[in-house]
Amino acid sequence: MNVELSQEQEAFRNTTRRFLEARVPLLVVRQLYESHDGFERSWWREAAELGWTSLFGPEVGGGGISPIPTRDAVIVAEEMGRMVAPGPFLPVSVVAAALLWEGTATQRADLLPALASGDSIASWALAEPGDVWDPASFMTRAVLDGDIMVLTGTKAYVEAATTSDHFLVTARTDDGLTQALVAANADGVTVTPGRSIDMTRRFGLVTFDGTRVPTSAVLGTVAGAGPAVERQVQLAIALQCAELVGVAQRTLEFTLEYGSSRHAFGRPIVSFQALKHRIADMTVWLEGSKAVTDALAQAIDDEDPESLHLARIAKAYVGEHCPDVVDDCVQITGGIGVTWEHDIHLYNRRATLDRALYGTPEDHKEQVITWLRG
Amino acid sequence: MVAGLSDEMTMESVEAFRTRTRAWMASALPSVEDPPLDSHALQRLLFDNRFAGIAFPREYGGAGLTLEHQKAFFDCAADLLRQVPAGYDHLVSVGMLGPTILEHGSHEAKLRFLPALLRGDDVWIQLLSEPRGGSDMAGATTRLTRDGHVYVLNGAKMWSTGAHVADYGLCLCRSDWDVPKHRGLSTVAVPLRGTPGLTIERIRAASGEAGDFCQEFFDDVVLPTENLIGEEGTGWAVAQTLLLHERNAAGSIGYGHLGPRLSGEDPTASDGLLGPSALLAALRHRRTNGAVATKLANAYIESVVGALTSARIMAGLRVGTHRGGWGSVSKLQASVAKHECIRTSLAALGAEGVIWDGADVRLDNAGTVWLGSRGGTLAGGSNEMQRNIVSERLLGLPREPSLDRDVPFNQVLRGLPAFE
Ligand SMILES: Cc1cc2nc3c(=O)[nH]c(=O)nc-3n(C[C@H](O)[C@H](O)[C@H](O)COP(=O)(O)OP(=O)(O)OC[C@H]3O[C@@H](n4cnc5c(N)ncnc54)[C@H](O)[C@@H]3O)c2cc1C
């Protein structure tokens, strides 16, 4: 996506692409549709060996931390989009980044190596039932009881909920947000599996029923997690936008291949101007999507305060236009495009899912309006 | 060694250039808060200090550096809030015609034309479109005939922006009618001031005002043969180069990067009544309903993404991930976005955009601007032509079928002029 990848990044992208093509081709993605978890742990460990899970740490022993982890991570996300790949890359990356940014040395040492090796999986329990993504409206509470933090409430749309070993929970205390790391098998944690329209991404409800964790499990300070949550959201949006770019780019590629060999009225269908012009518009949207995603990733790595606005702009733009590319490619593909047999629905599924998570483009546009109103 | 001297061995680094530029600008270039200098005077100031034609060879009046240096210069100016030559005619002359002459002119033509162009003494414009059509530019019917030691030009051009204030026009004309259309074209430099046989008329714009565009009639205009740019019969290649620079300029790319593309609340935003910053003001100071606010947010988002897109394409062209006609992508994006911005202003301002106090005609209202707003989606190649280019040349989709490609031009069916 970035036009100026370093040689290491170029190599990283190539190994990522080759790995995905070899290990989870679309045929495998289709098989995983039937599976409970949507991916296999052994496969995830192999992916971890490529470095996917160590971009945000640990600093020692784990291959070294990247100076530009977000810009490296969007490379993986984009490739995953191209292959509508399985695997909890986004939630594991966000939790690892949160540990890197906010964690104590002990917290990092406890979890980062296991995340990096792929032995452990962690997910972010952020949103709440009813499509609630705005922390100001969260109902889940974190209440201090001596040196114990008590968590009560229900988190929804938690990715890889049934396969996660740990949850990073974002909850409310009286005067702010608090985040805590909770083991999935802790007392008072219930995971209810759910499914999504995606072939392989599974989600679940996670309920905390007076779950008690030591304050050493609190990430950052009690009631002081607001800025960290914001930064994690920005990272999630950057990864999601990169994935959307990969999804839309690949869909356009195979649609053009198909449309060049399919004929009507003695001509390839992509020679019709009505289609060519829409394809040109899609090219404009894709270029804009790449540009803004890239700018966001860079702003996050640079700790540029602009990332706050860029994240909303990116989701509003990419979250709208990339799914539109896929949707119009269905139209260009014709009737076969709405069958199970044709792969385009795999891409439409992922695009439609990503559009909705971490706030719709409409939600983000609303935030743009709010800050523009000043 | 003279600062900025370029000879391949000793090219000044972009960073060193940037440092030198900033120092010079701080002391020598007026700030945007100072009384404005016209672009002529500003260009002269740049030229005298070897900051004009930064990516042009020194023997033709340039600074002998690269497009990266040029970008650095104009980015510094924006950063330091300095005045730089602005205006469409300047962009056309320095950003489009200059590099075209540089690429296609003979050594003598470059020596003759470029220093005066870069100094701002001669302003150049493009004479491409004709009354019979602009999109099908290769169908030009303005006639160039050789008569002994001179050329004679007959016919008409139309929509030529700035012809009434310019010194030279680069004219696309037909020199051979017996070969297929693309092969019978030539380009020639036409002096526009006091040239016998040449009539220039401003076209009245939809606003009611005299437009910036003109119509020209050539009636046995005699031109020296040295005014030919390129060879006889290579006019299409020259025009293609010119159009490439025009699209780049529309997206502030390459030679056309004479200032950064504006986005959002840029402090130097001179994007007029209806640019993104004015839309922001509307959002802040007026009661706007949700539907209008959404349109305003869309316009704002497009402006940010558009600027990032141009920067990305420019970087891509430099490192080679992007090749060729990517300027069409940013031209298309920018044209669509600008038109949408103006349309949005109608939504934001309502009656205030179309009715005003006082009996005099006012041009700075949203409605009047709207009347001419399609100019931007036509000029420089219509949106439809850009979409053809993107799909055919960038993505390799099949070309539009055409009935005139391989036919001698004098047998091709031709339509009516837009108006007499
Ligand atoms: C403000 C302004 C400034 C201009 N400045 C200059 C200038 O400085 N120099 C200059 O030479 N010209 C200039 N032009 C002319 C401009 O380049 C032409 O207007 C433009 O190329 C379109 O040509 P036309 O107006 O003859 O429309 P036509 O070519 O007649 O086109 C009419 C419509 O048909 C569509 N169309 C044509 N061919 C196709 C196709 N193959 N596929 C799909 N749709 C097609 C067009 O998109 C357009 O919508 C200017 C125009 C404007 C409005």
Side-chain angles (χ1 to χ4, degrees):
Chain A
M1 187 157 43
N2 184 339
V3 294
E4 294 179 87
L5 291 184
S6 66
Q7 270 176 0
E8 296 81 45
Q9 287 179 310
E10 199 77 68
F12 184 48
R13 185 181 65 175
N14 289 340
T15 51
T16 298
R17 183 173 293 187
R18 277 201 302 274
F19 172 74
L20 289 172
E21 282 170 355
R23 296 288 278 108
V24 281
L26 297 185
L27 218 62
V28 172
V29 169
R30 284 174 175 272
Q31 287 161 2
L32 288 168
Y33 179 73
E34 310 294 342
S35 78
H36 183 264
D37 296 336
F39 71 99
E40 281 170 18
R41 281 227 177 208
S42 57
W43 172 83
W44 183 246
R45 280 192 200 94
E46 285 177 53
E49 276 171 32
L50 300 182
W52 292 7
T53 47
S54 37
L55 298 172
F56 293 92
E59 296 94 322
V60 282
I65 178 172
S66 162
I68 46 169
T70 312
R71 270 169 287 176
D72 287 343
V74 291
I75 294 173
V76 179
E78 183 182 4
E79 292 304 320
M80 293 187 86
R82 289 182 63 87
M83 295 299 290
V84 287
F89 179 68
L90 187 151
V92 168
S93 298
V94 171
V95 175
L99 281 163
L100 171 69
W101 293 332
E102 297 290 317
T104 61
T106 319
Q107 285 171 331
R108 293 189 210 178
D110 280 354
L111 195 47
L112 279 177
L115 291 181
S117 66
D119 290 333
S120 205
I121 287 170
S123 187
W124 188 14
L126 172 73
E128 300 196 351
D131 190 38
V132 177
W133 297 90
D134 177 8
S137 308
F138 287 171
M139 309 287 283
T140 301
R141 315 242 340 133
V143 178
L144 262 183
D145 178 10
D147 52 4
I148 294 291
M149 183 62 81
V150 185
L151 296 163
T152 311
T154 300
K155 291 289 175 181
Y157 326 116
V158 179
E159 186 171 342
T162 56
T163 31
S164 286
D165 308 294
H166 304 272
F167 296 111
L168 173 60
V169 187
T170 303
R172 292 206 66 73
T173 26
D174 278 339
D175 36 9
L177 296 175
T178 300
Q179 299 202 102
L181 288 157
V182 183
N185 59 8
D187 282 343
V189 178
T190 316
V191 177
T192 313
R195 273 194 82 124
S196 75
I197 61 163
D198 192 73
M199 299 293 281
T200 62
R201 292 239 163 111
R202 306 286 184 262
F203 293 81
L205 275 181
V206 183
T207 302
F208 302 92
D209 186 10
T211 307
R212 297 168 73 81
V213 295
T215 43
S216 61
V218 171
L219 197 62
T221 57
V222 174
V229 172
E230 167 57 33
R231 205 162 171 215
Q232 289 159 219
V233 168
Q234 291 170 14
L235 174 61
I237 288 174
L239 296 177
Q240 185 182 60
C241 287
E243 176 162 274
L244 278 165
V245 163
V247 165
Q249 175 72 46
R250 183 71 196 111
T251 304
L252 182 59
E253 285 168 13
F254 65 66
T255 303
L256 291 185
E257 268 166 50
Y258 176 76
S260 299
S261 57
R262 179 126 180 124
H263 284 64
F265 303 94
R267 298 162 56 177
I269 56 166
V270 291
S271 72
F272 295 115
Q273 201 177 59
L275 304 195
K276 277 164 66 179
H277 282 192
R278 275 146 55 196
I279 290 163
D281 286 340
M282 294 184 212
T283 305
V284 172
W285 299 337
L286 263 169
E287 201 61 15
S289 296
K290 292 172 188 174
V292 70
T293 303
D294 218 31
L296 172 60
Q298 174 151 2
I300 293 171
D301 281 341
D302 293 351
E303 299 188 40
D304 178 347
E306 258 310 290
S307 63
L308 175 78
H309 291 169
L310 270 176
R312 271 78 221 181
I313 290 174
K315 182 64 196 269
Y317 189 90
V318 181
E320 180 163 313
H321 287 305
C322 284
D324 282 353
V325 168
V326 177
D327 172 59
D328 206 18
C329 283
V330 175
Q331 175 71 12
I332 292 174
T333 303
I336 192 82
V338 293
T339 64
W340 180 260
E341 179 169 332
H342 196 286
D343 287 332
I344 200 167
H345 73 89
L346 276 58
Y347 288 81
N348 206 355
R349 287 165 183 274
R350 181 62 57 85
T352 308
L353 176 78
D354 282 347
R355 187 189 201 289
L357 298 182
Y358 298 98
T360 59
E362 291 74 14
D363 290 335
H364 288 274
K365 207 169 280 178
E366 194 63 39
Q367 294 188 45
V368 172
I369 293 170
T370 305
W371 102 63
L372 287 183
R373 278 196 202 277
Chain B
M1 192 184 88
V2 180
L5 180 69
S6 125
D7 132 32
E8 259 112 81
M9 318 295 295
T10 58
M11 169 88 68
E12 182 182 21
S13 75
V14 176
E15 273 327 298
F17 174 79
R18 203 187 298 272
T19 310
R20 178 164 67 86
T21 297
R22 290 184 81 93
W24 177 75
M25 278 182 182
S27 64
L29 202 56
S31 120
V32 292
E33 275 140 30
D34 294 332
L37 284 186
D38 69 17
S39 48
H40 196 85
L42 279 168
Q43 185 65 22
R44 182 68 190 252
L45 184 61
L46 300 194
F47 185 87
D48 290 344
N49 290 278
R50 281 219 181 267
F51 288 116
I54 289 168
F56 286 68
R58 292 172 68 89
E59 63 178 327
Y60 304 132
L65 297 166
T66 68
L67 288 174
E68 273 299 283
H69 295 82
Q70 176 179 330
K71 179 176 186 315
F73 182 88
F74 288 98
D75 290 347
C76 280
D79 212 33
L80 297 176
L81 303 180
R82 300 286 128 179
Q83 292 183 30
V84 289
Y88 188 71
D89 51 342
H90 175 77
L91 185 68
V92 171
S93 189
V94 175
M96 292 154 47
L97 271 308
T100 304
I101 296 168
L102 181 64
E103 184 166 333
H104 293 280
S106 63
H107 177 59
E108 291 71 30
K110 288 188 257 200
L111 284 177
R112 192 146 74 93
F113 294 128
L114 286 178
L117 183 155
L118 292 178
R119 206 187 299 123
D121 290 350
D122 286 345
V123 172
W124 284 63
I125 56 139
Q126 33 183 2
L127 298 169
L128 304 173
S129 306
E130 296 186 354
R132 43 140 283 285
S135 301
D136 182 13
M137 208 176 65
T141 56
T142 298
R143 184 183 293 265
L144 187 74
T145 353
R146 178 93 185 222
D147 184 6
H149 296 298
V150 294
Y151 283 118
V152 180
L153 190 64
N154 278 287
K157 289 285 170 182
M158 191 159 175
W159 311 120
S160 330
T161 303
H164 57 302
V165 291
D167 304 284
Y168 278 96
L170 187 63
C171 183
L172 180 69
C173 37
R174 188 158 304 279
S175 48
D176 186 347
W177 298 68
D178 299 326
V179 294
K181 66 185 202 182
H182 296 92
R183 283 191 256 146
L185 298 167
S186 300
T187 40
V188 65
V190 182
L192 298 176
R193 295 192 194 252
T195 305
L198 169 63
T199 316
I200 301 177
E201 289 173 2
R202 289 178 81 173
I203 298 171
R204 191 172 183 189
S207 65
E209 291 294 284
D212 290 332
F213 39 46
C214 303
Q215 183 164 17
E216 301 79 26
F217 301 94
F218 309 100
D219 204 357
D220 285 334
V221 171
V222 176
L223 300 165
T225 51
E226 302 90 76
N227 280 25
L228 195 70
I229 301 294
E231 310 287 320
E232 256 184 54
T234 65
W236 183 240
V238 179
Q240 289 291 91
T241 300
L242 180 51
L243 289 193
L244 184 86
H245 291 304
E246 178 166 35
R247 288 171 211 129
N248 282 351
S252 196
I253 288 171
Y255 286 97
H257 183 91
L258 301 174
R261 256 187 86 170
L262 300 171
S263 95
E265 292 178 276
D266 197 303
T268 58
S270 56
D271 47 11
L273 175 71
L274 306 167
S277 46
L279 293 180
L280 279 188
L283 191 59
R284 287 191 185 149
H285 303 308
R286 305 174 56 86
R287 261 185 319 115
T288 39
N289 64 33
V292 173
T294 303
K295 281 176 185 275
L296 289 165
N298 285 341
Y300 177 82
I301 290 167
E302 277 295 333
S303 79
V304 175
V305 174
L308 292 170
T309 304
S310 287
R312 172 185 165 80
I313 290 174
M314 205 155 152
L317 289 169
R318 176 165 47 78
V319 300
T321 55
H322 293 59
R323 280 174 215 281
W326 280 89
S328 285
V329 168
S330 49
K331 152 82 172 119
L332 180 56
Q333 190 279 336
S335 299
V336 172
K338 181 150 190 230
H339 177 255
E340 204 48 43
C341 240
I342 298 172
R343 198 203 345 220
T344 299
S345 73
L346 298 181
L349 300 173
E352 260 190 76
V354 292
I355 296 172
W356 57 90
D357 297 334
D360 294 336
V361 169
R362 273 183 57 182
L363 302 173
D364 61 346
N365 65 92
T368 308
V369 176
W370 169 250
L371 297 178
S373 68
R374 278 289 170 189
T377 59
L378 288 163
S382 67
N383 285 359
E384 290 73 25
M385 295 308 290
Q386 303 309 324
R387 290 183 175 111
N388 286 348
I389 292 169
V390 171
S391 55
E392 293 172 6
R393 296 199 213 149
L394 294 185
L395 302 176
L397 299 184
R399 292 183 62 104
E400 287 303 295
S402 65
L403 307 177
D404 63 351
R405 265 192 96 69
D406 301 314
V407 188
F409 190 73
N410 52 20
Q411 293 167 31
V412 169
L413 194 62
R414 293 196 288 276
L416 295 173
F419 60 82
E420 291 299 332

